[in-house]
Amino acid sequence: MFKMSEYSFIAGVISVGLALGCYVIAFVAARVMRQRTALAGVGTGGGTIGVDRRGGVNLGAYGTLLVYLALAFLTASLVFRTIATGHGPFANMYEFSIAFAWGTLAMYAYFERRYHERALGLVALPIALALLLYAMTIPATIDPLVPALQNNLLLSVHVAVAVVAYGTFSVAFAAAILYLVRGEDGRRGLPSRELLDEISYKAVVIGFPFLTLTIVLGAVWAEVAWGTYWSWDPKETASLVTWLIYGSYLHARVVRGWRGERAASLLLLGFAATLFTYFGNLFFGGLHSYSGLNNQ
Amino acid sequence: MTQTVRTQAIPRADRGPTDDLDAGRTVSPADIRERLWHFFISMRTGLALMLGLAVLGLIGTLLVQAPEGLKSDPQAYPAWLESLRPRYGGWTGVLDALGLFSIFSSIWFRGIVMLLTTSVLACSVNRAPHLWKQAVHPRTNMSETFFAHAPLSASIAAPTHPDAALAEIQAAFRARHFRTIVKGDGDTIHLYADRFRWGPFGTVIAHLSLIFILAGALIGTAWGFRNTGLAVPVGSRVDVGYGTGLSIEAKSFTDSYYPNGSPSDFTSDLVLYRDGAQIDAATIRVNQPLRAGDVTVYQSFYGAAAAMKVADPTGTVVFERGVPLEWTSSDGKHRVGQIILPDVGLTAYVIGAASGEVDPQIKPGQMGIEVYTSGSEGSPIATGVISQGQPAKIAGLDFTFVRERQFTGLIVARDPGAVFVWIGASLLVFGISLVFFFPSRRAWALIRRRPGGSSIQVGAVVRHDVSFEADFKRLVDELKLALTGPSAI
Ligand code: HEM
């Protein structure tokens, strides 16, 4: 099982890398050809390579296929690992990085299906790839669970919910980056600003309830394990900071003047906070110091 | 209008000298109330407070925070601050004066939380009547102008009677699970359709849930307690205190390990007494506390203990219990426990070698004893080293080190506010899910009789909602097909 998990993981990494390659080439080709159809994006007209549109290779579509393939491999990897370890992917940074990458890919795939904007992948896939490459630097050994982590169901749900939230924030971040990169004029063949703005918003609309639930479940676990629902542990606090930033983003959109670039900047800030919360284990210490990278 | 005038009448410091003060204008209480209200319902205020709280939180994760309760310890706190000096240098004092080492009980933090709560309350009070009206008494009749300016709108000229058109439109909305309200008659019919009209109340629920959470936190602080370091030696009974009348006896403690040496399980067999009578008994472990009424007992840590017996010169036993060696000496080589003997006004320290340390003075099977006059500092009035099972006279008392034991370290807590926190947390998740997963949608139609049929206008106001836009377009297409297509007469 352990080996199967490892192989699926590697296959997943390769698939993400190839998918990203397809997207980049398709995007660059599209720019070179300066095709701007109504849905000017990587996917539709832009994905075609070669002079003859019909006879060309639609690299964008292959990219999407590879994303699905990568998702399948990573799912398999996580399932095999869960069987091998007997618990969800929450015990160390290796497991959680794969889960985070999985969430990013899954949410990206969902939003690509819904909005048909492969340009998002130009940012979302590198995030997933970076997480996976980071996971590769961590020993994948299976260590037994310390007593505090032996609350399988609660922790598995806590992490599963967090993974969805983090995944949507990756997508919101991707759309915000494109929004800012694209600029007013939109010369670069990217989706319209309105659409990017909406994608960000819709992503946070999914992510925010999930982040809220993550924090609440974390509080339940803390109450059961440490006798208090809140102890201002750095990781808890960082997740609260993240929550406040995304909460601000949602409210900011109600104020007219905050639409657009300012809202997009809040999303960058929010994603920075997400990563800070996520990687916090490595330097916070505190009750969440289960990174598996120190002697714990 | 009057309001604008008043606003300008209030002098601002940066405007330099003004005549307004001399003019004898004053700020009336009603004026202040008005301004405060506008301050608190302003989204700018809300954003500033939320982001301000985020900044404090960030500081709290980046700066070392003083452990719970340390600040009130006049000796330990300065020592703790001193230990930070290598890290923060000259800033240590400044950061401390600003309260940044206990930021979550600082005036900044409390102030922002109070302001934010007020703001959230004000926003809800401000907004709720409007939401109520929208849900219960929605505006059903929209004018021509509305349809002309609505972000989503369409007009259809149909060769059908208005009643037939209405039936068609109603059917289309109902198929989408919209509720429809019809006003008017024969010649002019107004139709209003909505879905998930209670969704927006999710915001009110989410806002009010914060009040529950805050109230829970305050109640917990005011009427709860949390002792994170109750050490109970195996075979001994220890009072919980805090007016609970509870005492806890540890029957046994077991620590288990995986082959690689990392811990796998810690369990304690506990018996709980209230006013001397047993009320509960359970095996607790990490993640599996003992709940007895409103008090909860958690497994937290463990360590070595010494079962000790002390007798006075008449032979009367004045102390017989396990002494948890809870503290580590500053050189890290010894574990130290305390015996308080109130009858004779003495305090004795029991000192054992820390695990893995070899001390030529205190050998395995031995304990060092230092006796002090209670309440005084300085040097001990007597010291000695005793061997297991061999009584020795120190400071006129007979000390016996009966045997080595373990102690189990418990957290004992009572939090009467927790229930409010859980209610608030559930409402928060529920409210937020309601807003986002059940987005409220509203649409209007105006059907008028025209020679040879009817004119139909459909419109909706949307806020960033591509899926509703798409659905609206499909609905219009359906209607066009049904009303003007070949089959419609
Ligand atoms: C941490 C505190 C807060 C939480 C958890 C919270 C929660 C929410 C949520 C989930 C929404 C729905 C957002 C959307 O539809 O996009 C919302 C909307 C709103 N919030 Fe808050 N909020 C908070 C603080 C505030 C504050 C301080 C104010 C006032 C300054 C405020 C005023 C509003 C308003 C006016 C709306 C829009 C209501 C509507 O459209 O009917 N909120 N809030």
Side-chain angles (χ1 to χ4, degrees):
Chain A
M1 279 303 161
F2 178 72
K3 277 278 162 246
M4 300 273 277
S5 158
E6 289 289 274
Y7 294 146
S8 312
F9 168 60
I10 298 298
V13 179
I14 294 170
S15 309
V16 176
L18 290 177
L20 181 59
C22 287
Y23 280 35
V24 170
I25 295 171
F27 183 72
V28 171
R31 282 201 65 186
V32 168
M33 295 175 66
R34 299 223 174 271
Q35 288 180 338
R36 273 189 241 139
T37 54
L39 279 163
V42 186
T44 348
T48 323
I49 285 187
V51 184
D52 177 10
R53 279 200 204 176
R54 264 166 250 146
V57 189
N58 192 342
L59 267 183
Y62 282 109
T64 303
L65 218 62
L66 281 165
V67 169
Y68 292 149
L69 200 64
L71 257 178
F73 279 130
L74 292 184
T75 309
S77 170
L78 286 171
V79 168
F80 288 137
R81 190 158 172 106
T82 299
I83 296 172
T85 59
H87 58 74
F90 51 69
N92 56 34
M93 288 296 271
Y94 171 79
E95 296 179 349
F96 198 49
S97 296
I98 301 179
F100 189 171
W102 183 91
T104 300
L105 282 180
M107 288 301 133
Y108 166 70
Y110 172 74
F111 276 88
E112 194 206 284
R113 271 192 84 89
R114 199 160 145 185
Y115 291 92
H116 310 289
E117 291 299 349
R118 290 201 178 94
L120 287 176
L122 292 174
V123 184
L125 293 188
I127 296 173
L129 192 59
L131 286 164
L132 292 173
L133 293 178
Y134 169 67
M136 287 180 85
T137 66
I138 304 173
T141 49
I142 296 175
D143 290 323
L145 284 183
V146 297
L149 291 181
Q150 295 169 8
N151 197 327
N152 225 323
L153 185 65
L154 189 54
L155 272 177
S156 299
V157 177
H158 174 63
V159 170
V161 171
V163 160
V164 174
Y166 287 13
T168 60
F169 294 154
S170 299
V171 171
F173 171 76
I177 286 274
L178 294 184
Y179 187 101
L180 294 172
V181 165
R182 185 184 186 279
E184 251 351 308
D185 45 8
R187 266 185 315 227
R188 305 171 204 238
L190 292 171
S192 79
R193 278 195 142 185
E194 287 69 36
L195 192 59
L196 289 169
D197 183 65
E198 167 161 342
I199 291 173
S200 289
Y201 177 70
K202 279 287 152 65
V204 176
V205 155
I206 299 174
F208 192 66
F210 275 83
L211 180 62
T212 310
L213 192 58
T214 306
I215 296 177
V216 170
L217 288 173
V220 172
W221 172 36
E223 206 273 342
V224 171
W226 304 318
T228 175
Y229 52 83
W230 199 264
S231 44
W232 296 112
D233 164 75
K235 183 124 178 160
E236 272 174 356
T237 310
S239 66
L240 182 70
V241 169
T242 309
W243 185 79
L244 284 166
I245 294 174
Y246 283 106
S248 307
Y249 164 79
L250 289 171
H251 285 79
R253 290 176 51 92
V254 178
V255 186
R256 215 166 243 279
W258 272 76
R259 287 269 170 81
E261 302 210 342
R262 272 202 263 186
S265 327
L266 271 181
L267 289 174
L268 304 197
L269 198 63
F271 196 62
T274 305
L275 292 179
F276 178 67
T277 310
Y278 171 74
F279 286 110
N281 300 7
L282 303 183
F283 50 84
F284 285 159
L287 300 167
H288 268 88
S289 53
Y290 51 73
S291 61
L293 299 185
N294 39 36
N295 56 357
Q296 287 264 340
Chain B
M1 200 55 213
T2 44
Q3 208 178 312
T4 343
V5 173
R6 273 193 207 147
T7 312
Q8 287 169 346
I10 292 172
R12 289 242 195 105
D14 56 347
R15 294 242 176 94
T18 109
D19 298 354
D20 288 347
L21 272 182
D22 303 331
R25 296 199 197 167
T26 51
V27 186
S28 72
D31 208 33
I32 292 175
R33 235 179 293 132
E34 176 94 343
R35 284 165 150 254
L36 272 180
W37 177 253
H38 280 286
F39 172 76
F40 280 117
I41 62 168
S42 152
M43 191 55 88
R44 268 163 223 289
T45 307
L47 284 178
L49 291 173
M50 278 189 259
L51 290 173
L53 206 55
V55 169
L56 291 190
L58 189 63
I59 296 175
T61 58
L62 294 178
L63 280 188
V64 180
Q65 296 292 299
E68 218 176 295
L70 188 67
K71 186 127 198 198
S72 52
D73 188 330
Q75 268 155 26
Y77 190 67
W80 183 80
L81 272 188
E82 213 42 50
S83 73
L84 296 182
R85 215 164 271 282
R87 205 159 157 186
Y88 301 118
W91 288 100
T92 314
V94 180
L95 295 173
D96 179 47
L98 288 174
L100 299 189
F101 290 128
S102 24
I103 201 157
F104 302 110
S105 51
S106 71
I107 176 144
W108 318 114
F109 182 78
R110 293 195 170 152
I112 292 190
V113 167
M114 286 323 291
L115 289 175
L116 185 61
T117 312
T118 315
S119 175
V120 167
L121 255 182
C123 284
S124 304
V125 169
N126 187 44
R127 189 97 176 110
H130 175 71
L131 293 179
W132 178 258
K133 187 165 168 291
Q134 264 194 0
V136 179
H137 307 292
R139 186 166 161 197
T140 50
N141 298 13
M142 285 300 190
S143 69
E144 192 84 24
T145 346
F146 166 78
F147 293 99
H149 296 288
L152 291 182
S153 67
S155 3
I156 305 167
T160 31
H161 188 271
D163 289 339
L166 173 66
E168 208 54 73
I169 297 173
Q170 263 186 311
F173 275 115
R174 290 218 181 111
R176 289 169 168 76
H177 310 285
F178 276 63
R179 166 183 81 140
T180 56
I181 297 177
V182 178
K183 290 278 167 66
D185 54 37
D187 288 351
T188 307
I189 303 174
H190 292 281
L191 177 129
Y192 165 79
D194 67 13
R195 185 164 191 220
F196 299 137
R197 69 195 146 117
W198 299 110
F201 279 91
T203 53
V204 178
I205 296 172
H207 284 170
L208 295 185
S209 72
L210 297 175
I211 311 286
F212 273 89
I213 294 175
L214 188 71
L218 290 177
I219 291 171
T221 316
W223 289 291
F225 70 83
R226 182 169 138 86
N227 180 356
T228 55
L230 189 72
V232 183
V234 171
S236 297
R237 200 200 284 189
V238 173
D239 287 337
V240 169
Y242 300 97
T244 54
L246 295 176
S247 51
I248 298 174
E249 179 184 351
K251 290 269 189 213
S252 70
F253 172 80
T254 317
D255 45 334
S256 334
Y257 297 87
Y258 294 111
N260 75 351
S262 71
S264 66
D265 203 6
F266 304 117
T267 61
S268 301
D269 284 320
L270 301 183
V271 182
L272 203 60
Y273 301 85
R274 171 166 286 140
D275 303 325
Q278 180 174 339
I279 55 166
D280 208 345
T283 301
I284 66 164
R285 41 166 50 89
V286 180
N287 280 332
Q288 201 176 303
L290 163 63
R291 299 188 191 268
D294 55 357
V295 173
T296 313
V297 184
Y298 302 85
Q299 180 69 57
S300 178
F301 58 104
Y302 68 96
M308 298 292 299
K309 192 157 117 180
V310 183
D312 69 9
T314 68
T316 316
V317 175
V318 291
F319 184 94
E320 184 169 21
R321 223 185 304 149
V323 176
L325 307 180
E326 297 176 67
W327 300 292
T328 306
S329 61
S330 44
D331 60 4
K333 292 193 171 150
H334 297 101
R335 308 280 301 153
V336 183
Q338 186 187 42
I339 300 176
I340 296 175
L341 303 165
D343 299 343
V344 290
L346 295 177
T347 300
Y349 290 94
V350 183
I351 301 154
S355 69
E357 293 289 342
V358 183
D359 182 329
Q361 255 120 50
I362 306 172
K363 300 189 180 68
Q366 292 188 323
M367 286 291 157
I369 304 289
E370 292 184 3
V371 183
Y372 294 78
T373 309
S374 288
S376 79
E377 285 167 39
S379 41
I381 56 172
T383 63
V385 173
I386 54 179
S387 298
Q388 186 172 343
Q390 295 166 19
K393 230 178 207 19
I394 302 168
L397 299 168
D398 272 322
F399 282 83
T400 313
F401 168 35
V402 183
R403 53 176 289 201
E404 275 196 53
R405 305 221 75 149
Q406 276 184 306
F407 75 82
T408 177
L410 307 174
I411 296 173
V412 185
R414 179 176 66 203
D415 190 348
V419 59
F420 293 94
V421 172
W422 298 129
I423 293 174
S426 312
L427 287 177
L428 182 62
V429 173
F430 172 73
I432 291 178
S433 308
L434 196 62
V435 192
F436 291 139
F437 299 141
F438 299 93
S440 138
R441 288 169 173 180
R442 297 136 54 77
W444 289 263
L446 174 61
I447 308 165
R448 272 174 306 181
R449 188 182 198 122
R450 287 279 182 268
S454 23
S455 83
I456 299 157
Q457 282 171 300
V458 200
V461 198
V462 288
R463 278 193 317 180
H464 11 267
D465 198 340
V466 159
S467 57
F468 182 45
E469 275 173 42
D471 199 32
F472 185 86
K473 292 198 177 97
R474 272 196 299 277
L475 180 125
V476 169
D477 289 343
E478 273 172 39
L479 286 178
K480 278 188 177 153
L481 192 68
L483 291 167
T484 64
S487 59
I489 313 279

